[in-house]
């Protein structure tokens, strides 16, 4: 093992410090550029809404105000739209009742009522 001169050690510490600083700035830049996931929602249908993000979507009811058949519908870019199965929901039901994903991007989502 060879001894390093104080000058060589200073250069090595300086180089490592600069590399760490550049790495930290790169990570900070990615964090600022990358948008946070945000949700959008459609109109309320007897207490239920369709929510969507970039590629996923779901149907959620805060509290069903009129019992009946509900269907989740979503528009996907560059592929067939999603038509979920009709689900019987009772008055007062709260919670998620259907979900899926688009391959590329979700354009919108909403809930249909079928009585």
């Amino acid at each position: 093992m060879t001894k390093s001169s104080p000058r060589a050690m200073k250069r090595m510490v300086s180089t490592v410090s600069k590399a760490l600083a550049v790495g930290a700035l790169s990570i900070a830049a990615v964090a600022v550029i990358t948008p946070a996931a945000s949700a959008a929602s459609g109109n309320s249908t007897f207490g239920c809404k369709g929510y969507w993000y970039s590629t996923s979507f779901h149907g959620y009811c805060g509290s069903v105000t009129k019992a009946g058949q509900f269907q989740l519908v979503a528009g996907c870019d560059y592929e067939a739209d999603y038509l979920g199965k009709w689900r019987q929901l009772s008055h007062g039901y709260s919670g998620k009742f259907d979900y899926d994903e688009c391959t590329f991007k979700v354009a919108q989502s909403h809930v249909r009522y079928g009585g």
Side-chain angles (χ1 to χ4, degrees), residues 7-8 12 22 26 37 44 75 82 86 88 91 98 100 111:
R7 182 174 281 180
M12 185 173 68
V22 168
S26 298
S44 182
Y82 175 84
W86 286 96
Q88 179 68 37
H91 184 272
D98 195 3
D100 208 336
V111 174

Side-chain angles (χ1 to χ4, degrees), residues 50-86:
Y51 292 86
W52 70 95
Y53 306 87
S54 58
T55 58
S56 65
F57 53 89
H58 68 270
Y60 182 84
C61 303
S63 181
V64 173
T65 59
K66 186 174 182 182
Q69 297 282 321
F70 292 81
Q71 180 187 38
L72 178 62
V73 178
C76 298
D77 286 355
Y78 311 112
E79 63 186 293
D81 291 345
Y82 175 84
L83 296 173
K85 293 181 182 177
W86 286 96

